[in-house]
């Protein structure tokens, strides 16, 4: 029995979280959910978008399944997703992009996993005005040897454990010679410890082109924060979009699994939301727990529904069904 913190979140969050929990239950994995709150809903109730009880629960149980959270634009609170990543030093943002059957996309046979450094780079938010007229802004990027080694090692360890053959490190060391140059230098050093895994480095602009010309050449990818943000959405686009991509944020002491899409307020409460992205994040959670048999069973059941019962799927991927019909269809296959 695993104790896992569950944060349903805002908008479609509660519907898709409920769907995912039903599917996990049907697979036979024993989970004791610890319910916790974060986001706009609890902010409106209490004035705090990230209650102390939620932080304490994560500290105690260390594994989190999280639905999307609404972040108000402009005024209001800062992104809770970013706050959680920083608070628990969830330095690896991991996003697999794998072709799924019977979902429209321009490519087949894509199966890559992107490791994005989640705590540094240009995203530390150190920006300032140089002048008083606010016509000249500067931003600082931070790259350290330690943080680079941690994320690059995480990528190689994942490749080793999952029998993957190649790690591609993405950088811009020709121009950003110190920051991404350091990242590349650390990558070359770490690669020496994994002689069985092919190591390649590519400059980010070339990488973007290669990914849309021949995405199946890539296996595990590791890169800095900004490049990873952009390229991981690109990777999702190669396999049918954000509706079918899961994500994990993993540190040494805690791990948080979440869908990459947002809270979709336009369809919230209408039983239309596609739970596949959050489900695939939950499968990453089961992989993290080494529940590999359950992962395979659930993935096969989802593929079977996509192939043979497409009408049960949600409209965003061309189905005629609902969150409920998709969930029931997957559970029926799992229970057979
Ligand atoms: P969004 O991803 O919520 O929605 C974009 C479009 O995709 C909408 O048309 C929506 O209906 C559709 N969509 C998203 N997920 C879907 C699903 N599972 N099934 C079917 N259709 C789906 O992005 P948007 O509208 O830019 O953001 C809405 C809110 O979500 C904002 O407050 C934003 O800050 C937040 N957000 C939260 C994230 C997180 O918690 N990880 C990530 C991205 C956005
Ligand atoms: Mg992003």
């Amino acid at each position: 029995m695993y104790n896992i913190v569950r944060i349903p979140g805002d908008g479609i969050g509660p519907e898709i979280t409920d769907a995912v929990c039903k599917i996990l239950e049907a697979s036979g994995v024993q989970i004791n959910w610890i319910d916790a709150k974060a986001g706009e809903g609890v902010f409106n109730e209490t004035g705090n978008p990230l209650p102390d009880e939620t932080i304490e629960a994560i500290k105690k149980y260390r594994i989190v399944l999280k639905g999307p959270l609404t972040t108000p634009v402009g005024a209001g609170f800062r992104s809770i997703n970013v706050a959680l990543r920083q608070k628990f030093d969830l330095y690896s943002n991991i996003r697999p992009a794998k072709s799924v059957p019977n979902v429209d996309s321009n490519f087949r046979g894509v199966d890559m996993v992107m490791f994005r450094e989640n705590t540094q780079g240009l995203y530390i938010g150190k920006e300032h005005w140089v002048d008083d007229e606010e016509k000249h802004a500067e931003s600082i990027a931070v790259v350290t040897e330690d943080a680079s080694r941690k994320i690059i090692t995480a990528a190689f360890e994942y490749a080793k454990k999952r029998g993957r053959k190649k790690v591609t490190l993405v950088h811009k060391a020709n121009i950003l010679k110190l920051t991404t140059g350091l990242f590349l230098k650390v990558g070359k050093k770490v690669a020496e410890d994994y002689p069985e895994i092919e190591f390649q480095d590519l400059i980010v602009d070339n990488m973007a082109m290669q990914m849309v010309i021949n995405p199946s050449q890539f296996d595990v990818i590791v890169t800095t924060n900004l490049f990873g943000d952009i390229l991981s959405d690109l990777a999702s686009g190669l396999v049918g979009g954000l509706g079918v991509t899961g994500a994990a944020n993993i540190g040494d002491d805690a791990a948080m699994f979440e869908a990459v899409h947002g809270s979709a307020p336009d369809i919230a409460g209408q039983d239309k939301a596609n739970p596949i992205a959050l489900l695939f994040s939950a499968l990453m959670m089961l992989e993290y727990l080494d529940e590999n048999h359950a992962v395979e069973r659930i993935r096969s059941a989802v593929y079977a529904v996509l192939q043979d019962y497409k009408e049960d799927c949600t409209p965003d991927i061309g189905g005629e069904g609902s969150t409920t019909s998709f969930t029931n269809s997957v559970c029926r296959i799992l229970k057979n």
Side-chain angles (χ1 to χ4, degrees):
M1 177 78 87
Y2 301 104
N3 289 313
I4 295 174
V5 177
R6 170 168 67 186
I7 302 177
D10 300 313
I12 59 170
E15 302 161 58
I16 57 175
T17 305
D18 190 47
V20 167
C21 293
K22 285 196 173 119
I23 292 170
L24 296 189
E25 192 183 344
S27 79
V29 183
Q30 303 273 315
I31 299 173
N32 175 37
W33 296 107
I34 316 293
D35 282 303
K37 290 180 178 174
E40 191 186 47
V42 67
F43 175 75
N44 291 340
E45 277 169 38
T46 67
N48 183 357
L50 184 56
D52 291 345
E53 301 91 83
T54 300
I55 293 172
E56 289 309 315
I58 300 173
K59 272 192 192 145
K60 181 159 179 203
Y61 298 105
R62 299 188 2 259
I63 301 180
V64 186
L65 181 67
K66 188 183 83 48
L69 309 178
T70 298
T71 307
V73 176
F77 52 87
R78 287 190 55 205
S79 165
I80 299 305
N81 299 313
V82 174
L84 285 170
R85 284 172 201 162
Q86 286 172 349
K87 189 150 200 79
F88 293 98
D89 191 22
L90 306 174
Y91 59 83
S92 303
N93 183 287
I94 309 173
R95 289 258 295 257
K98 186 171 160 68
S99 299
V100 284
N102 214 6
V103 171
D104 264 353
S105 70
N106 293 317
F107 299 95
R108 290 280 112 208
V110 177
D111 184 6
M112 62 177 88
V113 182
M114 188 156 316
F115 281 70
R116 158 188 171 193
E117 203 291 318
N118 222 1
T119 61
Q120 307 197 320
L122 263 180
Y123 283 15
I124 54 168
K126 287 225 162 90
E127 295 190 305
H128 62 260
W129 295 111
V130 174
D131 61 340
D132 293 335
E133 295 82 46
E134 301 194 349
K135 289 182 177 171
H136 182 170
E138 280 181 353
S139 184
I140 293 171
V142 168
V143 173
T144 66
E145 187 182 87
D146 277 353
S148 302
R149 190 186 308 105
K150 271 161 70 171
I151 182 78
I152 295 164
T153 303
F156 272 98
E157 281 297 316
Y158 179 94
K160 187 174 159 185
K161 192 165 175 198
R162 303 274 156 206
R164 290 187 172 258
K165 305 276 179 283
K166 182 163 98 174
V167 172
T168 302
L169 181 148
V170 181
H171 62 88
K172 187 77 187 180
N174 51 333
I175 307 292
L176 302 170
K177 290 180 197 293
L178 299 191
T179 47
T180 80
L182 174 59
F183 193 78
L184 174 60
K185 186 175 154 207
V186 174
K188 286 180 173 165
K189 189 94 188 87
V190 172
E192 288 172 8
D193 296 334
Y194 300 86
E196 71 283 14
I197 296 168
E198 185 188 339
F199 177 67
Q200 170 192 40
D201 74 89
L202 282 181
I203 294 177
V204 62
D205 34 0
N206 182 22
M207 179 68 182
M209 181 183 70
Q210 296 290 338
M211 279 175 75
V212 292
I213 288 181
N214 177 16
S216 51
Q217 68 181 295
F218 296 110
D219 194 344
V220 174
I221 298 161
V222 62
T223 189
T224 48
N225 208 340
L226 169 66
F227 299 158
D229 187 11
I230 299 167
L231 293 178
S232 58
D233 271 24
L234 195 164
S236 295
L238 299 172
V239 297
L242 300 182
V244 294
T245 334
N249 294 281
I250 300 182
D252 293 333
D253 303 319
M256 180 169 82
F257 300 84
E258 61 182 346
V260 296
H261 59 70
S263 54
D266 52 331
I267 58 164
Q270 299 172 30
D271 200 22
K272 277 188 196 158
N274 187 353
I276 292 183
L278 186 64
L279 180 60
F280 283 177
S281 312
L283 295 190
M284 296 176 78
M285 182 179 83
L286 296 184
E287 267 187 3
Y288 179 80
L289 298 168
D290 273 326
E291 287 283 349
N292 298 312
H293 179 64
V295 172
E296 280 323 306
R297 283 191 65 224
I298 297 171
R299 196 186 301 281
S300 307
V302 172
Y303 287 5
V305 173
L306 289 169
Q307 295 268 26
D308 303 330
Y309 303 98
K310 186 70 184 276
E311 65 280 7
D312 288 342
C313 295
T314 48
D316 59 299
I317 51 170
E320 297 153 19
S322 61
T323 315
T324 306
S325 63
F326 172 81
T327 306
N328 289 344
S329 207
V330 174
C331 289
R332 191 177 60 239
I333 292 172
L334 282 171
K335 285 175 178 162
N336 266 340

